[in-house]
Amino acid sequence: MIVVALVVFYASRSLFQGLLLTLEHHIPRLLGALGAGSMGNSCVCRDDSGAEDNVDSQGRQTENSSRAHIPEARSHPRDPVRPPRRGRGPHEPRRKKQNVDGLVLDTLAVIRTLVDNDQEPPYSMITLHEMAETDEGWLEVVQSLIRVIPLEDPLGPAVITLLLDECPLPTKDALQKLTEILNLSGAAACQDACHPAKHRNTTAVLGCLAEKLAGPASIGLLSPGILEYLLHSLNFQSHPTVMLFALIALEKFAQTSENKMTVSESCISDQLILLEKWTDNPDYLKRQVGFCAQWSLDNL
């Protein structure tokens, strides 16, 4: 029994040592294979994370670039003085954000603050000039000048002259339409005599147009009705301011030789002789009328 137990002991011992040798021989290979697999998985994960990083970086660049374009579009600040222009449709008027009468009165109110020729014109004046680029707009501006400028404002005639000088030249059709709208005559000069502002503004407008359109256009403008209106405005029943600007308008019309003959052949000389007596009048407004009458007799 002892011998059998020893034999079994030594046999099992040799078998265990053989198994240990076999494991020692194969364990490094198994560890190497397991390490390679884990390294491959880690590389795959890193590649995936790199792709995600690239996508994120591209997204950030796109977002940054889109944000960068926004300040460029708004890099130019709006002018705080002049309101921004708005787009207009094909059937929309040029720029009629405000009533024409309101724009004329705004120009009259702000014109006294302009002390330098290099100053930018006020927004109301720019808007009126743009409106006057069409015949309909020009007629509307002229009618507004006649209608709303008060007589007591000393800068009223200056605003009329300034606006008409800066507006584009009217066409022949626009002048014809204006003559029809005003419908001036000797009877019209006697109407609303107690409200001379309309007549003062009308004679001031006629004088500006006569000077601006010297030539054939001025000849066409001096219709028999307009000539009769200006001559009747020289009556003593008229306001001295109306008489003064009627004299100035006749002088402007007379810059064209044909109109000068037309005016001279009328009865204006007899009326000027009467007005010449105002040259020493204590009323300075009447004295201006007398001076202009005397000058017209001596030179025209």
Side-chain angles (χ1 to χ4, degrees):
M1 291 295 293
I2 296 173
V3 174
V4 174
L6 290 173
V7 172
V8 172
F9 172 74
Y10 284 110
S12 60
R13 182 181 178 183
S14 61
L15 181 60
F16 181 73
Q17 290 178 352
L19 290 174
L20 289 177
L21 291 175
T22 303
L23 290 174
E24 290 177 359
H25 181 71
H26 291 285
I27 281 175
R29 294 182 181 180
L30 292 173
L31 293 176
L34 292 174
S38 62
M39 290 178 64
N41 293 333
S42 63
C43 292
V44 171
C45 295
R46 182 167 297 180
D47 291 338
D48 294 339
S49 63
E52 292 176 359
D53 292 339
N54 291 333
V55 173
D56 293 339
S57 62
Q58 291 177 359
R60 293 192 189 95
Q61 292 177 359
T62 304
E63 184 179 358
N64 292 334
S65 61
S66 62
R67 291 179 179 176
H69 289 294
I70 295 176
E72 293 178 0
R74 301 179 182 176
S75 59
H76 301 287
R78 290 175 176 174
D79 190 353
V81 177
R82 187 184 306 175
R85 296 185 178 182
R86 60 177 175 87
R88 60 188 182 95
H91 303 292
E92 187 180 356
R94 177 71 177 176
R95 276 178 72 182
K96 195 174 179 181
K97 293 181 181 180
Q98 188 177 354
N99 192 315
V100 183
D101 293 348
L103 292 171
V104 171
L105 294 177
D106 289 345
T107 304
L108 182 61
V110 76
I111 200 68
R112 65 188 75 250
T113 63
L114 301 179
V115 296
D116 190 357
N117 292 332
D118 296 333
Q119 286 182 271
E120 185 177 1
Y123 169 72
S124 57
M125 185 182 298
I126 296 174
T127 307
L128 290 172
H129 292 165
E130 292 185 356
M131 291 179 61
E133 291 179 1
T134 62
D135 287 352
E136 293 78 7
W138 184 83
L139 289 171
E140 194 171 357
V141 171
V142 173
Q143 293 179 77
S144 179
L145 292 174
I146 295 174
R147 182 171 56 247
V148 303
I149 292 184
L151 180 69
E152 58 274 8
D153 196 316
L155 291 180
V159 170
I160 293 175
T161 303
L162 185 61
L163 288 176
L164 290 181
D165 283 346
E166 296 297 329
C167 287
L169 289 174
T171 62
K172 184 178 179 181
D173 294 338
L175 290 176
Q176 181 65 29
K177 185 67 175 178
L178 178 64
T179 303
E180 296 174 358
I181 292 174
L182 296 179
N183 192 22
L184 298 178
S185 62
C190 300
Q191 294 175 357
D192 297 330
C194 57
H195 301 287
K198 176 182 177 182
H199 297 295
R200 192 279 307 269
N201 297 336
T202 301
T203 52
V205 167
L206 292 175
C208 293
L209 293 178
E211 183 177 18
K212 191 174 183 180
L213 303 172
S218 178
I219 298 174
L221 182 61
L222 187 62
S223 62
I226 290 180
L227 178 60
E228 184 181 1
Y229 174 81
L230 293 176
L231 292 176
H232 276 74
S233 297
L234 300 179
N235 293 331
F236 287 103
Q237 292 79 13
S238 301
H239 193 278
T241 303
V242 178
M243 301 169 70
L244 178 63
F245 281 93
L247 282 172
I248 295 175
L250 288 169
E251 177 190 343
K252 300 301 182 182
F253 275 112
Q255 291 178 353
T256 304
S257 57
E258 289 83 352
N259 286 339
K260 183 177 181 180
M261 293 298 298
T262 302
V263 175
S264 299
E265 292 173 358
S266 64
C267 60
I268 189 174
S269 298
D270 298 335
Q271 188 65 29
L272 292 179
I273 291 174
L274 297 176
L275 295 178
E276 188 181 14
K277 299 177 181 180
W278 282 0
T279 52
D280 296 327
N281 196 291
D283 186 342
Y284 287 99
L285 187 57
K286 293 182 178 180
R287 184 176 297 188
Q288 292 182 67
V289 175
F291 172 81
C292 290
Q294 185 181 56
W295 190 92
S296 296
L297 288 172
D298 294 340
N299 297 277
L300 296 178

